[in-house]
């Protein structure tokens, strides 16, 4: 059973960076791919996504970098103190090298910094967090950053139409070794039999990209190519509303706590209908379940810390606060974490302009 508990480590800060450009689903442009089956009003009502942030210039690492620079200042950390960084994304700068290596240099961190990429989507923040905490729990590395985000508009290319469900965001979570800290507890799971429920068919070593990968094909009434991600919507919906509630309940049962006692419940921002069903199954009070999808859309693995930054700043910083968070999706994989913060530092939301790209590392 994939239960983990880490002691003597704490989550001490969060920040998020988003493109400054706002796309409004109630007023779609020629670049938006809202299905002709729905009016803009019906799409917003069904999904809960009115706005999202988009850019054809900014990469995920650009957004994470901007958020990290601000969070380091707000925490009062010295960059030489940061001993590890994890970059969690499915839109890296390059196939290789790891984007974490680029960010180590760009941020000016020590050359003895542990840096690694994790290729996970919707559950990625929870997995990245556990990886960082496992290092810190040894006590030799004292401070680390978990950078998690996606920039799908950039990844799809300038001539690709934008999916109105997804927004771009880069988040940073700061973790620190602290003797006697409240335990942080996890439950994880994977069902690889559903690997093709969300998939980009070409571009990897199984199906290398060829000139034919750019051929247009129709899928569920939408034009796409084999270099773009595709999803079996009903399979993913069924997976989410079943797996997330079970994982939250299992975590509470395993460690002997009542999950209903948590102050806040933050779920992956998949879509409003799915999350409403999860809330209903867990019998959660809606006022304890913040949502950021109305303003930022589905930001994949970034959506949990994105929601905390966007919706809970000013509500959780100055008092002990308990959270239960669950990410679920591509893989198929899922992860739930329960943690307590004492004096959480949340930076102001960073809006990043298209001019703030990393020109140094463009090849």
């Amino acid at each position: 059973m994939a239960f983990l508990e880490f002691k003597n480590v704490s989550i001490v800060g969060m920040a998020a960076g988003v493109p400054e450009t706002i796309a409004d689903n109630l007023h779609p442009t020629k670049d938006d791919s809202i299905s002709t089956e729905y009016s803009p009003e019906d799409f917003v009502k069904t999904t809960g996504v009115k706005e999202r942030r988009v850019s054809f210039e900014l990469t995920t690492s650009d957004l994470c970098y901007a958020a990290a620079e601000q969070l380091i200042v707000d925490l009062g950390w010295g960059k030489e103190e940061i001993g590890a960084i994890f970059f969690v994304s499915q839109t890296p700068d390059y196939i290789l090298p790891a984007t974490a290596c680029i960010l180590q240099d760009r941020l000016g961190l020590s050359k003895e910094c542990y840096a690694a990429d994790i290729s996970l989507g919707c559950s990625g923040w929870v997995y990245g967090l556990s990886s960082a905490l496992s290092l810190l729990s040894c006590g030799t590395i004292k401070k680390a950053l978990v950078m998690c985000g996606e920039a799908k508009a950039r990844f799809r290319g300038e001539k690709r139409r934008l999916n109105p469900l997804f927004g771009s965001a880069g988040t940073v979570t700061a973790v620190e070794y602290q003797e006697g800290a409240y335990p942080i507890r996890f439950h994880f799971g994977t069902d690889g039999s559903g690997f093709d429920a969300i998939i980009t068919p070409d571009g990897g070593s199984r199906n290398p990209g060829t000139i034919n990968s750019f051929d247009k094909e129709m899928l569920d009434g939408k034009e796409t190519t084999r270099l773009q991600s595709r999803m079996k919507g009903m399979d993913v919906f069924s997976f989410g509303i079943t797996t997330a509630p079970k994982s939250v309940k299992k975590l509470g049962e395993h460690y002997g706590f009542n999950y209903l006692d948590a102050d806040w419940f933050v779920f992956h921002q998949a879509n409003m209908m799915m999350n409403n069903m999860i809330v209903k199954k867990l019998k959660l009070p809606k006022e304890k379940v913040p949502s950021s999808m109305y303003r930022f859309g589905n930001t994949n693995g970034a959506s949990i810390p994105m929601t905390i930054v966007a919706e809970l700043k000013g509500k959780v910083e100055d008092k002990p606060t308990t959270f239960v968070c669950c990410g679920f999706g591509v893989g198929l994989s899922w992860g739930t974490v329960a943690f307590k913060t004492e004096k959480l530092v949340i930076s102001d939301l960073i809006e990043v302009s298209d001019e703030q790209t990393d020109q140094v590392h463009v090849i």
Side-chain angles (χ1 to χ4, degrees):
M1 294 185 291
F3 292 100
L4 297 174
E5 180 180 67
F6 298 107
K7 300 178 180 180
N8 301 319
V9 286
S10 291
I11 297 171
V12 297
M14 291 188 184
V18 295
E20 63 180 6
T21 302
I22 299 174
D24 187 342
N25 284 339
L26 288 178
H27 302 91
T29 70
K30 60 181 178 61
D31 293 322
D32 295 309
S33 60
I34 292 180
S35 171
T36 55
E37 298 176 17
Y38 298 96
S39 68
E41 292 77 13
D42 287 342
F43 179 86
V44 172
K45 183 178 180 179
T46 301
T47 65
V49 179
K50 179 182 180 292
E51 297 176 353
R52 72 258 189 240
R53 300 300 182 100
V54 299
S55 171
F56 288 120
E57 302 298 328
L58 296 166
T59 67
T60 304
S61 72
D62 291 327
L63 301 173
C64 288
Y65 167 77
E69 286 280 41
Q70 185 62 56
L71 183 58
I72 291 169
V73 171
D74 291 344
L75 286 168
W77 281 9
K79 290 187 176 181
E80 72 281 355
E81 300 176 277
I82 300 171
I85 57 171
F86 288 87
F87 179 76
V88 188
S89 180
Q90 294 187 319
T91 50
D93 281 10
Y94 303 101
I95 294 177
L96 58 88
T99 304
C101 298
I102 296 172
L103 284 165
Q104 171 274 327
D105 176 65
R106 190 176 180 191
L107 286 166
L109 305 184
S110 166
K111 291 184 179 180
E112 294 187 357
C113 179
Y114 183 112
D117 279 13
I118 298 176
S119 178
L120 278 171
C122 313
S123 63
W125 179 76
V126 184
Y127 275 83
L129 183 63
S130 70
S131 298
L133 295 178
S134 68
L135 286 183
L136 267 62
S137 62
C138 299
T140 53
I141 296 176
K142 303 295 185 182
K143 298 178 180 180
L145 300 177
V146 179
M147 303 180 177
C148 185
E150 299 291 343
K152 284 187 173 292
R154 167 77 177 186
F155 191 68
R156 291 166 73 89
E158 191 170 355
K159 295 182 180 180
R160 300 271 71 83
R161 299 184 74 191
L162 301 174
N163 188 315
L165 185 63
F166 295 98
S168 295
T171 65
V172 180
T173 302
V175 293
E176 186 173 15
Y177 180 84
Q178 293 181 350
E179 290 281 354
Y182 190 83
I184 300 179
R185 294 158 172 164
F186 294 85
H187 173 253
F188 293 103
T190 307
D191 181 8
S193 67
F195 78 97
D196 61 346
I198 308 173
I199 190 171
T200 301
D202 287 4
S205 59
R206 179 68 63 187
N207 297 316
T210 68
I211 190 64
N212 294 327
S213 300
F214 293 93
D215 291 345
K216 296 177 181 179
E217 56 185 71
M218 297 301 295
L219 187 67
D220 297 329
K222 295 181 180 180
E223 189 180 88
T224 187
T225 75
R226 289 181 60 83
L227 291 173
Q228 292 176 264
S229 60
R230 54 191 64 187
M231 177 171 65
K232 297 178 179 178
M234 291 309 300
D235 290 356
V236 175
F237 185 87
S238 177
F239 160 76
I241 64 173
T242 302
T243 303
K246 285 183 178 179
S247 182
V248 171
K249 291 177 180 179
K250 284 183 178 181
L251 184 65
E253 291 169 358
H254 185 82
Y255 289 108
F257 68 89
N258 185 352
Y259 67 85
L260 291 171
D261 291 336
D263 296 312
W264 299 99
F265 300 85
V266 187
F267 297 100
H268 167 53
Q269 303 290 286
N271 65 65
M272 184 177 63
M273 186 179 298
M274 181 183 293
N275 283 24
N276 284 346
M277 292 192 71
I278 293 170
V279 169
K280 185 177 181 180
K281 285 191 172 188
L282 288 170
K283 299 180 179 179
L284 303 178
K286 290 186 177 180
E287 62 271 16
K288 285 189 173 185
V289 189
S291 174
S292 63
M293 68 180 76
Y294 185 80
R295 291 195 295 151
F296 298 101
N298 180 338
T299 54
N300 290 76
S303 67
I304 293 174
M306 180 75 239
T307 299
I308 294 174
V309 171
E311 302 298 325
L312 298 184
K313 182 174 173 59
K315 300 178 181 179
V316 300
E317 294 98 315
D318 297 326
K319 57 185 177 182
T321 306
T322 53
F323 296 81
V324 171
C325 304
C326 180
F328 49 89
V330 60
L332 296 167
S333 73
W334 63 95
T336 300
V337 58
F339 61 93
K340 181 178 181 179
T341 60
E342 294 289 341
K343 293 183 178 180
L344 184 66
V345 172
I346 300 180
S347 299
D348 291 334
L349 182 68
I350 307 298
E351 292 188 318
V352 187
S353 70
D354 284 354
E355 288 72 32
Q356 292 173 256
T357 56
D358 180 16
Q359 298 301 323
V360 175
H361 295 292
V362 174
I363 305 299

